[in-house]
Amino acid sequence: MIRRRKSFSILKVLVIAFLSLLVVTQVYPLIWLFIYSLKTNEEILSGRFFALPQVLQWKNFSSAVEAGHYFQYLKNSLFVTSVTMVCVILLSSLASFAITRFKWKYGQAVMLIFLIGMMVPMQATLLPLMIIFKNLHALNTHLSIILPYIAFQTPIAVFILSGFMKSIPAEIEESAVVDGAGVFRIFGSIILPISIPPMMTVCILTFINIWNEYILAATFISSERLKTLPFGVNSFVSQYSVNYGAIGAFLVLGALPVIIIYFLLADKITKGMVAGAVKG
């Protein structure tokens, strides 16, 4: 009995130590970035990374908003991310419904295509996409980044939603068919409401991935009025100087929406990821 208590206490200490280490490694960079954003260039370049600022430089945040065109880039990011999320949810839910709930011989082949899509690196598509959008005269438009975003986010969304939809009992649909419900009514009135938890997970993952994306946006967008939030950092880099404090402030403001949304919907992420783990 004493050995069991000792082993339990040691295990508990190890778990607490591991979780504490995880919290420190995940939370500390955010705290460090906030402290970084309140320093002057001299304090940042002095090499004292862990030192607190002597005087809080709140003007870095005003510079981030004004010189960094924060609200203009924020509006563009919200538009691009919102359109992408809506399209991804619509397409992935329909595809997942067809793959998992219909009995057709090509269902597994289509699912395999989506899984292969998860393996394609974004960088490998830059040149062909550049040629395609140039021929379509779609370069330097939000459409040129929204379409690739949808294409790259849909496979993982289908993977998550199909795993959940497989766990939905077939008896629910059979009862609806007996009552005279068609395919679209079953999808809209039964499958969609049940699938809200994994859909929330898809929305949050899509939001985080698109919000911070830079490579595609830098390749296909050149107009200042169309650029998204990650471009704001370039506003503080000139040929002869760099405003490091303002860059830190802009990064804090850019990460703030993601942090807020994540903490508000963190429980839904967990529920959505494990929703299809146990089949009913």
Side-chain angles (χ1 to χ4, degrees):
M1 189 71 178
I2 296 176
R3 287 183 179 179
R4 289 184 179 178
R5 288 181 180 178
K6 285 183 177 180
S7 61
F8 177 76
S9 61
I10 293 174
L11 179 62
K12 187 175 181 180
V13 170
L14 291 176
V15 171
I16 293 175
F18 174 75
L19 293 177
S20 300
L21 179 63
L22 191 62
V23 168
V24 170
T25 55
Q26 297 297 318
V27 175
Y28 175 74
L30 297 175
I31 298 175
W32 179 85
L33 179 62
F34 180 70
I35 295 174
Y36 179 96
S37 67
L38 296 174
K39 291 183 177 182
T40 62
N41 273 6
E42 291 75 15
E43 291 174 327
I44 293 172
L45 296 174
S46 66
R48 299 167 58 191
F49 299 105
F50 303 103
L52 296 175
Q54 296 180 357
V55 179
L56 300 180
Q57 302 295 320
W58 294 107
K59 64 179 181 180
N60 289 338
F61 284 90
S62 60
S63 297
V65 172
E66 297 171 6
H69 309 289
Y70 175 74
F71 289 111
Q72 177 185 339
Y73 294 154
L74 178 65
K75 180 185 70 174
N76 292 334
S77 288
L78 288 173
F79 173 75
V80 170
T81 305
S82 300
V83 173
T84 302
M85 286 172 55
V86 171
C87 293
V88 168
I89 284 294
L90 180 61
L91 294 175
S92 61
S93 60
L94 288 171
S96 301
F97 178 67
I99 292 171
T100 58
R101 312 310 290 182
F102 291 176
K103 294 181 179 179
W104 55 309
K105 61 180 180 179
Y106 298 111
Q108 294 300 319
V110 173
M111 187 63 194
L112 180 61
I113 292 175
F114 280 110
L115 294 178
I116 294 174
M118 294 172 59
M119 306 175 192
V120 178
M122 185 181 296
Q123 294 82 356
T125 64
L126 291 178
L127 182 57
L129 285 176
M130 173 68 75
I131 297 173
I132 292 172
F133 290 138
K134 183 179 180 180
N135 293 333
L136 294 175
H137 304 286
L139 286 177
N140 200 29
T141 64
H142 281 152
L143 185 65
S144 64
I145 57 176
I146 289 175
L147 291 179
Y149 288 164
I150 295 172
F152 281 105
Q153 296 302 314
T154 300
I156 183 63
V158 171
F159 178 75
I160 294 173
L161 292 178
S162 61
F164 174 81
M165 289 184 184
K166 286 180 182 177
S167 66
I168 300 176
E171 289 77 9
I172 298 178
E173 296 172 61
E174 293 172 359
S175 300
V177 171
V178 171
D179 293 336
V183 173
F184 289 103
R185 185 176 176 185
I186 292 174
F187 176 73
S189 301
I190 298 176
I191 302 299
L192 280 184
I194 297 176
S195 304
I196 287 179
M199 284 185 180
M200 293 300 299
T201 300
V202 169
C203 284
I204 295 169
L205 294 178
T206 302
F207 179 88
I208 293 174
N209 291 334
I210 300 305
W211 192 260
N212 299 317
E213 202 284 322
Y214 182 81
I215 296 177
L216 285 180
T219 304
F220 301 137
I221 299 293
S222 58
S223 175
E224 286 292 329
R225 66 182 183 84
L226 297 176
K227 289 182 177 180
T228 51
L229 210 55
F231 286 91
V233 175
N234 299 331
S235 304
F236 309 104
V237 180
S238 63
Q239 185 176 358
Y240 301 105
S241 64
V242 179
N243 191 343
Y244 294 103
I247 290 177
F250 192 91
L251 292 175
V252 170
L253 292 175
L256 197 59
V258 179
I259 295 172
I260 293 174
I261 290 177
Y262 180 81
F263 277 106
L264 289 177
L265 303 176
D267 58 329
K268 290 184 173 57
I269 294 180
T270 305
K271 291 179 182 178
M273 292 300 290
V274 303
V278 180
K279 293 186 178 181

